[in-house]
């Protein structure tokens, strides 16, 4: 059963699943959705302890919450996580495909295994999650939010496989939006440089060249996620940059 929360919370009575949300950006998104009243299931792969801590913090916000193991590269693991989340929370209104991997390598040094691993996590994983969630989301006129990247629209030479996997995720968001309308809306956020406590000359360099004169935060991305979770269902197939103008 979904716990009752103050009626001012717009996501009260709704249930979300956020992938890779034990820590960092996914955790911030999960907590922001819970603040709006949503029951939240998070998935983790390696970060079991951090996932337990995040669940406790979600529950402290007065919502139903749980953590489920999910390896996005394994279709059976994905199906099990989605079915378990929907069964435990009683419904599914929102899927946030946040989990992903990032790597830096000269393009000519990317092996076929590294290329496939990047796409398995960043592109195929969100597809498998969305496909598994679709029957539940159709019942609730739900939503899917994919976390893409500024790298999906800008060619970063030493992150070619990452950039290409995110560009594919951006296109997947548009094709899913068209294929699954009118029941399900699908949108995508493209964060720029998001820092979470890291310091150093590289971060200062990016802050300086960002028109907004700072790097982004997990809270910036989470606020955009709340917009897509609570805003008009009519908005679909959109890509929203959260980059302080870095991509301009
Ligand atoms: N940070 C940035 O500056 C930035 C910029 C642009 C876009 N993004 C995107 O925003 C999202 C979140 O970024 P982040 O920096 O917070 O991500 P992150 O810490 O690198 O990864 C988030 C989580 O993804 C999970 N994950 C990775 N591979 C997985 C797999 N095969 N199966 C299941 N889970 C898997 C991991 O879970 P476990 O820890 O439990 O293993 C990890 O904690 C990502 O999609 C990223 O590409 C981030």
């Amino acid at each position: 059963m979904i716990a009752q929360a103050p009626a001012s919370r717009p996501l009260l009575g709704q249930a979300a699943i956020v992938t890779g949300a034990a820590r960092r950006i996914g955790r911030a998104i999960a907590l922001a959705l819970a603040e709006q009243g949503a029951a939240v299931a998070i998935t983790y792969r390696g970060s079991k302890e951090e996932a337990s801590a995040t669940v406790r913090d979600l529950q402290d916000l007065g919502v139903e919450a749980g953590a489920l193991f999910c390896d996005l590269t394994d279709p059976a693991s994905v199906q099990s996580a989605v079915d378990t989340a929907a069964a435990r929370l009683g419904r599914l209104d929102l899927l946030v495909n946040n989990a992903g991997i990032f790597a830096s390598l000269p393009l000519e040094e990317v092996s076929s295994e590294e290329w496939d691993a990047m796409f398995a996590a960043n592109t195929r994983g969100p597809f498998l999650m969305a496909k598994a969630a679709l029957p539940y989301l159709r019942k609730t006129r739900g939503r899917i939010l994919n976390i893409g990247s500024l790298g999906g629209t800008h060619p970063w030479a030493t992150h070619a496989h990452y950039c290409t996997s995110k560009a594919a995720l951006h296109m997947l968001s548009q094709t899913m939006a068209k294929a699954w309308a009118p029941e399900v809306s699908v949108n995508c956020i493209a964060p720029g440089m998001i820092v979470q406590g890291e310091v150093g000359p590289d971060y200062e360099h990016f802050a300086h060249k960002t028109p907004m004169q700072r790097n982004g935060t997990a809270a910036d991305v989470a606020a955009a996620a709340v917009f897509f979770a609570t805003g008009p269902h009519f908005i679909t197939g959109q890509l929203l940059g959260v980059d302080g103008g870095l991509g301009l």
Side-chain angles (χ1 to χ4, degrees):
M1 286 294 292
I2 293 171
Q4 292 297 306
S8 59
R9 295 170 149 191
L11 297 180
L12 184 65
Q14 296 193 27
I17 181 166
V18 186
T19 64
R23 53 199 191 89
R24 293 169 58 87
I25 293 174
R27 173 185 150 87
I29 292 172
L31 289 168
L33 295 172
E35 278 168 6
Q36 303 299 315
V40 183
I42 63 166
T43 77
Y44 66 92
R45 187 178 58 164
S47 302
K48 190 174 183 182
E49 279 177 26
E50 292 94 333
S52 298
T54 297
V55 167
R56 283 194 295 277
D57 291 343
L58 289 165
Q59 289 168 339
D60 284 348
L61 292 168
V63 301
E64 184 92 0
L68 298 162
F69 173 83
C70 178
D71 179 357
L72 286 176
T73 66
D74 176 2
S77 177
V78 167
Q79 189 70 53
S80 166
V82 171
D83 289 343
T84 305
R88 285 196 195 157
L89 301 179
R91 58 187 291 149
L92 200 54
D93 300 87
L94 173 66
L95 161 66
V96 182
N97 277 314
N98 164 79
I101 57 174
F102 178 76
S104 310
L105 266 182
L107 178 53
E108 63 276 20
E109 290 177 17
V110 177
S111 68
S112 57
E113 291 80 13
E114 286 162 337
W115 181 275
D116 288 347
M118 187 64 74
F119 273 73
N122 288 1
T123 313
R124 183 173 176 263
F127 162 67
L128 294 174
M129 284 295 301
K131 203 173 150 191
L134 181 62
Y136 301 107
L137 295 173
R138 277 197 162 131
K139 281 189 201 147
T140 58
R141 294 184 70 79
R143 303 162 190 239
I144 296 171
L145 179 59
N146 294 320
I147 309 300
S149 175
L150 177 61
T153 56
H154 283 251
W156 297 334
T158 52
H159 311 279
H161 53 339
Y162 170 80
C163 291
T164 312
S165 72
K166 289 294 190 177
L169 180 61
H170 296 176
M171 176 50 75
L172 179 63
S173 306
Q174 293 186 355
T175 50
M176 288 195 302
K178 204 165 176 185
W180 296 342
E183 293 94 350
V184 180
S185 73
V186 186
N187 292 290
C188 189
I189 293 172
M193 176 61 117
I194 306 299
V195 294
Q196 300 169 86
E198 305 96 327
V199 287
D202 282 356
Y203 298 101
E204 284 165 27
H205 166 75
F206 271 101
H208 182 65
K209 78 177 204 176
T210 297
M212 286 301 189
Q213 292 294 291
R214 69 169 176 86
N215 293 311
T217 64
D220 291 321
V221 181
V226 167
F227 167 73
F228 281 119
T230 59
H233 190 260
F234 192 63
I235 297 175
T236 196
Q238 299 306 301
L239 177 67
L240 179 66
V242 179
D243 65 0
L246 182 59
L248 297 174

